[in-house]
Amino acid sequence: MTRIASPHEQDRADSLTWLHIGAGSFHRAHQAVYLNSLRESGADRRWQLALANIRADMSPLLDALARQQGQYTLETVTPDGQRSYQRIGAIGRILPWDEQLTQLTAAGAEERTRIISFTVTEGGYYLDHQYRLDTANADLADDLRCALDGSGAPRTIYGAIAAILQARSQSHPQAALTLLNCDNLRHNGERFRDGLRQFLVLRGETALVAWMEAHTTSPNAMVDRITPRPTPAVAERVKQATGVDDPCALMGESFIQWVIEDDFKAGRPRLEAAGVEMVASVLPYEEAKIRILNASHSCIAWAGTLAGLQYIHEGTLRADIRQMAHDYVTQDVIPCLTPSPIDLAAYRDTTLARFSNPAIQDTNQRVAADGYSKIPGFIRPTLQESLAAGRMPRATALLPALFLVFLQRWNEGRLPYEYQDGIFDPVAARSMLAAADPVQAYCQDAVLWGELAGDARLVELIRTALQRLHQWLGQAR
């Protein structure tokens, strides 16, 4: 397949390429929207988006986008249900998938490619809780073997980027590059870069490690927009509203945010002209999202499940469940994160308004997953910092208490869906729940609590929270 040029493309020798890996909905409803805004406003027309995927699963979408010259329709929905439609034409090149990732590698190695971004989901980085590569993973192990014996094809972001860097270092040894992580991973640029470094060291590619360190940067970024998996109903609404048959149509909420550390090695578009927040450190924005948005999301999902609800918006619209999330943020998170460049109370209110959007149809099952990662990642830091400051974080303690009751329901076979957790050990969990004192056993779990494991203050907090929770459950249904 030849390269596909959109009507907006400036096919000039001096045009620059932003290559994105990951053809799922999030990129097309987020990064592509910002680049589209730059092009349409005339603020910066130097850059062309190229879109590729590591795996074959997105080939039908890439083919459909190619037939539409990279264009598609985005439907956005406000919390009060107002829908609007926008044609996105920022994607100038569609790179069809092939098993060896030949076209992706060639595009990444071009001198005019100055930024490579990626959305491969948090699990696509294969990192454990110590941020070491999970080399037991079959895909990662295959990629490591590919390099050693010269056969096979990349299947991970590390294998794909390594192939690009190898080709680039040979064809354009002085061509600098920015590697931009756009996934929901704490310190995502640093985590990816460290994972890539580990990957290359394991393959014995010390020269390529040195080239990467000298010629690339990996700024941290924070991305945010709820983008459900597209359904046939989206295309039907697009056809009714615009008259266009668009198999590539997708839907997202009206809220959108992108914060990036301004550390680009080879230039960048004028992203700030499109509303991107360019900052020296993404840390306060990242912490606000993780503790306010992500933790509240889990709170509402666990509480909603226990109350017999199916969707996130149903729990958010219930006064009692909404109050749990509101109190958690107000009483404990805001004191921990103050001072902040963000209006944290306003961010809390915006977050709850977003969760109340019935058009999103986000399920409790999806958000309730991976509790064994979410307790230490989203919730434990607020407990630790509050206790270190001499405060008893009683509102925060309700969240792990909800998860404990959630696990008890799972153990009894009373959850309305299958619980999914990437690091969950069912045998250990059942043993903990069968202990003479399950609360004490729960609070001694080092995976969940780290340095807090076994702390008498934590045990007291969880016991008190459980008393409140059992009283609530008696009234919730």
Side-chain angles (χ1 to χ4, degrees):
M1 184 182 296
T2 57
R3 67 186 292 275
I4 303 297
S6 78
H8 293 292
E9 180 185 346
Q10 292 177 299
D11 193 12
R12 306 193 317 254
D14 62 346
S15 66
L16 302 174
T17 299
W18 178 314
L19 171 61
H20 184 81
I21 301 172
S25 298
F26 186 76
H27 167 70
R28 294 189 298 124
H30 191 273
Q31 296 93 36
V33 174
Y34 284 100
L35 271 294
N36 190 72
S37 176
L38 281 182
R39 295 185 66 84
E40 289 197 337
S41 70
D44 193 339
R45 299 180 61 84
R46 300 170 299 156
W47 294 80
Q48 166 191 246
L49 258 179
L51 181 62
N53 211 58
I54 294 175
R55 308 207 176 199
D57 58 343
M58 286 295 174
S59 290
L61 173 67
L62 290 174
D63 290 343
L65 282 169
R67 289 191 293 271
Q68 298 181 178
Q69 291 76 50
Q71 298 187 65
Y72 57 92
T73 306
L74 173 67
E75 175 191 63
T76 56
V77 189
T78 66
D80 60 4
Q82 295 182 21
R83 300 178 189 270
S84 59
Y85 299 88
Q86 180 183 13
R87 195 70 172 167
I88 306 298
I91 300 173
R93 297 172 68 184
I94 305 295
L95 303 173
W97 182 86
D98 65 274
E99 189 172 8
Q100 304 297 325
L101 303 187
T102 307
Q103 295 199 44
L104 168 59
T105 302
E110 292 173 1
E111 194 277 336
R112 65 173 175 169
T113 298
R114 305 296 178 84
I115 298 170
I116 300 178
S117 59
F118 29 91
T119 45
V120 296
T121 78
E122 297 91 311
Y125 299 94
Y126 308 100
L127 299 173
D128 63 21
H129 280 299
Q130 284 71 49
Y131 305 108
R132 306 302 299 172
L133 285 181
D134 177 13
T135 54
N137 179 274
D139 288 335
L140 196 61
D142 283 348
D143 270 15
L144 289 168
R145 284 194 296 270
C146 284
L148 294 173
D149 64 17
S151 65
R155 289 291 178 269
T156 71
I157 188 62
Y158 301 116
I161 295 295
I164 290 171
L165 297 187
Q166 182 65 41
R168 194 177 182 91
S169 66
Q170 294 174 350
S171 59
H172 301 287
Q174 299 305 314
L177 184 67
T178 299
L179 302 170
L180 183 62
N181 190 329
C182 297
D183 278 306
N184 285 318
L185 193 69
R186 209 185 212 113
H187 311 311
N188 59 5
E190 297 170 35
R191 299 299 185 218
F192 161 75
R193 192 175 187 84
D194 188 50
L196 179 61
R197 188 184 296 109
Q198 293 177 55
F199 181 84
L200 295 175
V201 168
L202 286 170
R203 298 204 317 192
E205 296 181 358
T206 54
L208 194 54
V209 172
W211 190 91
M212 176 194 77
E213 299 290 9
H215 295 90
T216 72
T217 55
S218 304
N220 294 312
M222 190 274 278
V223 296
D224 196 5
R225 184 173 228 179
I226 299 172
T227 308
R229 187 183 299 274
T231 65
V234 176
E236 291 171 9
R237 289 193 299 269
V238 167
K239 174 65 179 297
Q240 185 176 9
T242 68
V244 176
D245 281 312
D246 188 352
C248 304
L250 73 159
M251 184 261 278
E253 63 168 339
S254 54
F255 181 91
I256 187 169
Q257 187 179 25
W258 198 3
V259 185
I260 311 175
E261 292 177 352
D262 201 354
D263 184 22
F264 286 71
K265 189 73 169 179
R268 63 170 176 82
R270 291 184 56 215
L271 294 168
E272 61 273 27
V276 179
E277 297 171 79
M278 306 303 301
V279 299
S281 172
V282 80
L283 182 62
Y285 302 88
E286 187 176 74
E287 286 301 314
K289 184 190 176 191
I290 288 171
R291 300 204 205 186
I292 296 177
L293 186 143
N294 294 129
S296 295
H297 222 182
S298 298
C299 170
I300 292 166
W302 294 330
T305 298
L306 298 179
L309 306 176
Q310 182 178 0
Y311 294 106
I312 289 294
H313 73 269
E314 295 174 322
T316 311
L317 291 171
R318 272 185 54 151
D320 51 357
I321 296 177
R322 187 185 186 98
Q323 194 66 47
M324 291 179 192
H326 186 281
D327 289 348
Y328 152 70
V329 175
T330 305
Q331 296 177 21
D332 296 336
V333 175
I334 290 178
C336 285
L337 298 186
T338 301
S340 171
I342 304 162
D343 184 335
L344 297 171
Y347 187 81
R348 171 203 62 206
D349 295 343
T350 299
T351 295
L352 292 174
R354 294 168 63 195
F355 291 165
S356 68
N357 189 339
I360 300 299
Q361 296 284 292
D362 207 1
T363 65
N364 289 325
Q365 179 178 12
R366 185 190 76 81
V367 181
D370 295 316
Y372 269 78
S373 296
K374 291 173 178 176
I375 294 286
F378 300 168
I379 297 164
R380 189 174 79 203
T382 300
L383 290 169
Q384 288 176 308
E385 291 171 19
S386 297
L387 290 171
R391 300 187 298 266
M392 289 296 278
R394 301 193 185 280
T396 303
L398 193 61
L399 277 61
L402 282 166
F403 184 60
L404 176 56
V405 177
F406 179 92
L407 285 177
Q408 290 170 334
R409 293 269 183 96
W410 161 82
N411 190 43
E412 296 162 0
R414 294 171 55 207
L415 285 182
Y417 50 75
E418 181 181 356
Y419 173 60
Q420 297 175 323
D421 195 315
I423 64 168
F424 186 45
D425 183 341
V427 174
R430 292 190 192 281
S431 176
M432 177 266 290
L433 294 169
D437 187 345
V439 175
Q440 184 71 41
Y442 180 57
C443 294
Q444 288 175 334
D445 190 323
V447 172
L448 291 172
W449 304 111
E451 295 178 359
L452 271 184
D455 192 303
R457 297 169 298 174
L458 175 65
V459 176
E460 189 274 328
L461 282 166
I462 300 297
R463 288 197 198 282
T464 302
L466 281 171
Q467 292 173 2
R468 293 172 51 206
L469 185 53
H470 287 307
Q471 182 180 9
W472 172 73
L473 285 170
Q475 305 167 348
R477 287 182 180 268

